[in-house]
Amino acid sequence: MPALDSVVIASGLSTFVQTLTKSIALGCIYAMLGLSFVLIFKGTQVLNFAAGAISMAGALFMSIMIADAGWPFLPWSNPFAPDGGRASIPLWILHLMFALILAALMGMIIERLAIRPMVGQPLFAMAVVTLGLEIAIRPFNLDASAGQARSIGVPWGNGTWTADWLDGAVIPKSYLAAIIAASIAFAAVYFFYRSRFGVAMRAVAFDQEAAMAQGINVGRVFSVAWALGAALAVLAAIFFAMTPWPPNGAVSLEIHPIWVFRVLPVIILGGLDSVVGAVYGGLIIASFEIFAGQYLSQWTSILGPGYSTIVPYLAMLGVLLVKPYGLFGTAEIRRV
Amino acid sequence: MAFGRPLLRTSYEEDAAILPTAFQKAGVGFLILSLCLMALDAPIFGAIPRYFLGNTWLVPVGITLCFAIGALGINILVGVTGQVSLGHAFFMGTGAYTAVMLGGNLGDQESWKACVPFHDNLGLLERQGECGLGLPIWIWLPAAGLVAALIGIIVSPAAVKVRGLYLAIVTVGLVFIGLHLGRMLPEWAGDFESGRRWPKLDIRLWKEETPLIEMSEDGKWFGLINLTEEQKQFFFLLAIVIVMTLLAKNLVRSRTGRALQAIRDRDVAAEVMGVPEFKYKRLGFAISSFYAGIAGALFASFTGRVSPIDFGLLLSVDFIAILLIGGAGTIAGTLLGTVFVELLPNVVERLTEWLADQISTGGVTGTIADFLLTTGAAGDFGPISIAPTAPGWPMSVFFWNLVIYGVLIVVFLIFEPLGLFGIWIKFRNYWKGWPFSY
């Protein structure tokens, strides 16, 4: 992962403001992805290691629809596609919706084929199934991207605002976009959890058999959990792709398959089964990563290039030593 | 022992024997013999097409032997102790880099300063990937295992504190920290992408010119038989694998092994019965890391050139796949799984080559080949491209191998959680009870 230092540094205050907005934006992206992990884990007790492949596939759907003016898997052309690959904002959001729907479908198919038959197996066996899926889907992603970074046609591109009253701090528009997207996603999940179906989902997360005995369709809850999880992972991947550091507005095969693993510290910090934990975890881990990347950069020769990417893991190790189930996770009750 | 009644045991020694039945003794003997004959390219294998047997297989089989050692290690940690770890690649890397630090060649002693880590002009070194002490194998090979075991012991307190999926994720973190170390220390690790050269598998007493037992050149061995470099290394690796397998088997049937298994089955219950949990989990980590270190050192030396990227998360996943496909907790299953996982890509590749040659011959194989393969000619269809000029559909064999590998992990977990070993047990029980179904 290349260093995240492409934003110009002007002075102490503007550096701080830029670092702060960067860490909040990255935190929101991490939180979206963390939420994807948490929803799937709460719903189906599966730690979804396939999130990398799923999110990259969804971002590629977006790229195929916008940049190639086609449909994924289908031979027809896309009549909604913008000319020249740069969409207006409503059109881009329309395509984002298409991509999220496709991702949700993909999540449901994966759940039905690979996860449903594993119900009742040990947690680790189910996690390894998703690792197998990650390995199996990744070649198709690499193949579809044809060895290049592919544009997702961000309408605001690399546009920035300059805040004069903050010592000329430069704030990219994509940060605000990520923050808005994360807010909408969290509001949606919040209200969804309070709906009738959301209550059913929480009941399943609490005890699958008891929920089934109450007449809840557990299979449908599984489907919806995976659909939501996959869509959130893709949402995070798309907003990660447009950040002003590499991959810089494109789906990148160097970065997208790997960056998902940087979110593991987020869900560990927040707790595997805590929605609120995903938010706090995302913001905390991202600020560790970005602030360390910014303010320790004079020691790069000792810490090594790209050291900021392992700061989350170090933070995770530290937290786990103190709180083995994260900040908000439910402790497992150990019995003989 | 009563022949023909394999389940009749008349003493504890018989019950705990490494190979309790005559069939198993004969089977293992036959396996080792046929491996040796295969490596020597014995004439009895002459009828098998060259695609499927012959000297070109020695490199993949040698790598499989190295991986077998690592797989025995992860079996001790995951299969026997029940601690799920995705950090095996990190410990393999630790062993490999210990080996190269001790055994690698330093051109001249004056420029030693450039080899000291954490100096200023990082990444822009003349001596990138050349540093090493040039010590002989009998120092670096055990040291690789011991250093990895030491790191395992250092990590184990964190690993004892967390359990289950949390432990798996923590060990994923280890792999990424290891990759970062590889990127940080180019004077030792070489270029991050292309890596550096490893010391040869020669046995020397000290740094003398002519090795005691040389394994890095074609030619006469001990003045007896003409062997190629790969053949010599193959026999060396096979000997180490046999020793390590015996050690692992003995560990499992000893007091320590029983303690580890008690912790796997229920750690709280084990502790209640007087098995110190922390001590044995630490021991499990140490032994598993020792195996991983040895495996990493041998793998890197056998391959000759390795980069930090090779010790990424995918390698850890390889080991978990080996365990799940072979059958966790059993030595035989572990070895079976290693052979299956490591040689399958080669088999698929050779099969594709063989099919590609059959296209022109016609007949059934020709039709199958025509259906599956794409040569790049216009109007030709088929999912596998044998002339991968550009990425894109149809995919190359390399990508298909990854897909097959991933799907196999899923399929085995869904349909046969006990792995190949479970299939073997079912098969054996069927014939034992035949013609009755119970």
Side-chain angles (χ1 to χ4, degrees):
Chain A
M1 179 78 206
L4 314 176
D5 53 4
S6 52
V7 177
V8 185
I9 297 164
S11 73
L13 176 64
S14 68
T15 309
F16 179 74
V17 171
Q18 284 172 16
T19 315
L20 189 68
T21 45
K22 196 177 184 177
S23 65
I24 291 174
L26 189 67
C28 284
I29 294 169
Y30 279 178
M32 281 192 273
L33 194 50
L35 190 61
S36 149
F37 276 93
V38 168
L39 277 184
I40 289 178
F41 187 78
K42 270 179 90 88
T44 59
Q45 304 288 303
V46 176
L47 180 63
N48 178 22
F49 279 115
I54 292 173
S55 65
M56 188 177 170
L60 278 172
F61 292 162
M62 185 94 181
S63 171
I64 289 168
M65 284 187 292
I66 289 188
D68 294 358
W71 296 107
F73 308 118
L74 299 175
W76 308 306
S77 68
N78 172 11
F80 309 105
D83 294 331
R86 177 64 70 90
S88 64
I89 290 177
L91 200 56
W92 190 81
I93 290 175
L94 179 73
H95 282 101
L96 181 65
M97 290 299 144
F98 285 152
L100 295 187
I101 290 167
L102 283 172
L105 280 176
M106 185 166 62
M108 286 161 97
I109 292 169
I110 286 174
E111 188 276 325
R112 195 68 194 83
L113 290 182
I115 307 298
R116 195 76 66 84
M118 294 290 294
V119 170
Q121 299 279 349
L123 293 189
F124 181 66
M126 298 214 274
V128 175
V129 164
T130 60
L131 268 176
L133 287 171
E134 162 90 20
I135 294 170
I137 301 174
R138 197 185 277 183
F140 292 102
N141 285 339
L142 299 183
D143 193 62
S145 59
Q148 291 157 354
R150 294 179 51 110
S151 163
I152 53 166
V154 187
W156 43 86
N158 274 345
T160 54
W161 287 295
T162 309
D164 290 330
W165 50 282
L166 284 174
D167 248 1
V170 177
I171 296 164
K173 291 178 178 173
S174 54
Y175 289 174
L176 188 70
I179 293 168
I180 292 173
S183 315
I184 294 173
F186 272 95
V189 169
Y190 179 85
F191 287 114
F192 175 75
Y193 256 39
R194 266 142 196 82
S195 71
R196 193 179 160 78
F197 194 80
V199 174
M201 211 161 169
R202 281 187 285 164
V204 172
F206 194 72
D207 188 331
Q208 289 176 3
E209 273 180 26
M212 207 177 245
Q214 300 299 315
I216 292 170
N217 187 344
V218 175
R220 192 185 296 159
V221 169
F222 275 30
S223 268
V224 171
W226 270 82
L228 279 177
L232 274 169
V234 169
L235 192 68
I238 287 172
F239 281 87
F240 182 76
M242 68 174 68
T243 47
W245 58 80
N248 213 340
V251 189
S252 152
L253 50 154
E254 275 101 36
I255 293 165
H256 268 100
I258 305 165
W259 75 283
V260 165
F261 289 103
R262 299 226 306 274
V263 176
L264 293 177
V266 170
I267 53 171
I268 286 291
L269 186 72
L272 271 180
D273 52 359
S274 164
V275 173
V276 187
V279 185
Y280 285 106
L283 291 171
I284 293 171
I285 291 287
S287 57
F288 266 122
E289 182 179 335
I290 299 294
F291 275 89
Q294 181 65 48
Y295 287 101
L296 300 180
S297 55
Q298 71 242 46
W299 289 293
T300 301
S301 67
I302 295 170
L303 299 169
Y307 65 90
S308 64
T309 55
I310 64 156
V311 171
Y313 295 111
L314 296 174
M316 169 178 82
L317 281 175
V319 167
L320 277 180
L321 282 179
V322 185
K323 286 185 79 84
Y325 295 97
L327 297 177
F328 301 93
T330 318
E332 177 200 350
I333 299 162
R334 296 172 64 203
R335 293 181 277 234
V336 175
Chain B
M1 192 186 73
F3 191 77
R5 293 191 60 190
L7 291 182
L8 177 69
R9 309 264 159 79
T10 49
S11 68
Y12 283 117
E13 283 72 31
E14 258 177 51
D15 196 42
I18 292 176
L19 296 167
T21 64
F23 176 76
Q24 285 175 13
K25 282 187 189 115
V28 170
F30 178 74
L31 186 74
I32 294 172
L33 184 72
S34 53
L35 264 176
C36 292
L37 285 177
M38 190 210 82
L40 289 170
D41 212 8
I44 37 170
F45 295 113
I48 302 171
R50 291 283 92 180
Y51 295 105
F52 300 111
L53 208 71
N55 260 330
T56 49
W57 275 94
L58 277 174
V59 173
V61 169
I63 292 175
T64 306
L65 288 176
C66 301
F67 271 68
I69 300 171
L72 288 171
I74 194 99
N75 181 47
I76 288 169
L77 185 59
V78 180
V80 179
T81 321
Q83 302 304 303
V84 176
S85 162
L86 283 168
H88 216 54
F90 170 73
F91 294 112
M92 254 182 103
T94 309
Y97 284 98
T98 309
V100 82
M101 281 175 182
L102 296 176
N105 284 324
L106 181 71
D108 47 282
Q109 299 292 333
E110 286 99 66
S111 48
W112 178 249
K113 245 183 210 164
C115 292
V116 179
F118 306 120
H119 52 83
D120 295 335
N121 46 350
L122 189 94
L124 300 164
L125 287 160
E126 291 165 27
R127 312 217 63 86
Q128 179 168 319
E130 287 178 24
C131 295
L133 293 171
L135 297 173
I137 188 169
W138 60 266
I139 295 179
W140 62 251
L141 189 57
L146 290 175
V147 170
L150 193 69
I151 306 264
I153 290 174
I154 294 171
V155 172
S156 64
V160 170
K161 191 116 189 191
V162 297
R163 52 194 79 241
L165 283 176
Y166 285 87
L167 177 57
I169 297 177
V170 170
T171 47
V172 169
L174 273 186
V175 173
F176 284 97
I177 291 170
L179 280 180
H180 181 70
L181 286 175
R183 198 185 288 122
M184 259 167 76
L185 302 170
E187 57 279 77
W188 297 96
D191 181 56
F192 189 61
E193 304 278 338
S194 58
R196 66 170 287 181
R197 297 204 62 78
W198 245 257
K200 295 260 200 281
L201 284 172
D202 287 325
I203 298 178
R204 286 182 166 82
L205 276 181
W206 194 242
K207 298 175 181 178
E208 72 266 17
E209 269 302 301
T210 45
L212 201 64
I213 304 171
E214 66 87 17
M215 279 177 282
S216 51
E217 271 163 46
D218 298 358
K220 276 212 181 312
W221 215 19
F222 302 120
L224 287 174
I225 35 172
N226 256 322
L227 292 175
T228 62
E229 175 193 347
E230 284 91 10
Q231 282 172 324
K232 292 172 183 173
Q233 295 179 353
F234 169 84
F235 285 116
F236 176 65
L237 290 176
L238 186 64
I240 294 185
V241 168
I242 291 173
V243 171
M244 298 300 264
T245 311
L246 282 175
L247 287 178
K249 184 79 190 173
N250 277 337
L251 175 82
V252 172
R253 60 201 193 114
S254 69
R255 178 193 165 90
T256 314
R258 287 192 296 275
L260 295 178
Q261 287 170 44
I263 285 172
R264 170 192 63 192
D265 293 339
R266 184 54 92 193
D267 48 3
V268 183
E271 211 164 5
V272 168
M273 292 193 301
V275 177
E277 185 192 356
F278 178 65
K279 181 185 157 193
Y280 279 105
K281 279 186 178 174
R282 189 176 58 194
L283 193 66
F285 260 94
I287 296 171
S288 142
S289 310
F290 180 81
Y291 272 79
I294 299 271
L298 287 175
F299 164 68
S301 305
F302 180 74
T303 322
R305 190 176 193 92
V306 166
S307 76
I309 289 188
D310 293 329
F311 300 105
L313 190 62
L314 212 55
L315 186 66
S316 293
V317 177
D318 265 5
F319 281 112
I320 294 294
I322 284 171
L323 217 54
L324 293 170
I325 289 177
T330 58
I331 305 278
T334 311
L335 297 178
L336 262 178
T338 319
V339 171
F340 190 79
V341 168
E342 293 306 317
L343 290 187
L344 185 78
N346 284 286
V347 171
V348 172
E349 243 165 65
R350 306 296 170 102
L351 204 63
T352 322
E353 275 175 38
W354 179 74
L355 273 176
D357 283 358
Q358 304 294 312
I359 288 185
S360 48
T361 57
V364 181
T365 47
T367 319
I368 295 173
D370 201 27
F371 188 73
L372 283 175
L373 303 177
T374 305
T375 48
D380 199 356
F381 61 91
I384 306 170
S385 165
I386 50 171
T389 46
W393 192 264
M395 294 203 297
S396 63
V397 184
F398 175 74
F399 278 170
W400 276 115
N401 259 328
L402 284 174
V403 175
I404 292 171
Y405 174 48
V407 170
L408 266 178
I409 296 177
V410 175
V411 166
F412 260 99
L413 274 167
I414 292 176
F415 295 107
E416 190 50 72
L418 292 177
L420 292 171
F421 194 74
I423 293 178
W424 158 244
I425 294 287
K426 275 184 191 165
F427 176 81
R428 196 185 66 183
N429 288 347
Y430 177 80
W431 287 107
K432 232 184 211 168
W434 193 85
F436 308 107
S437 57
Y438 47 85

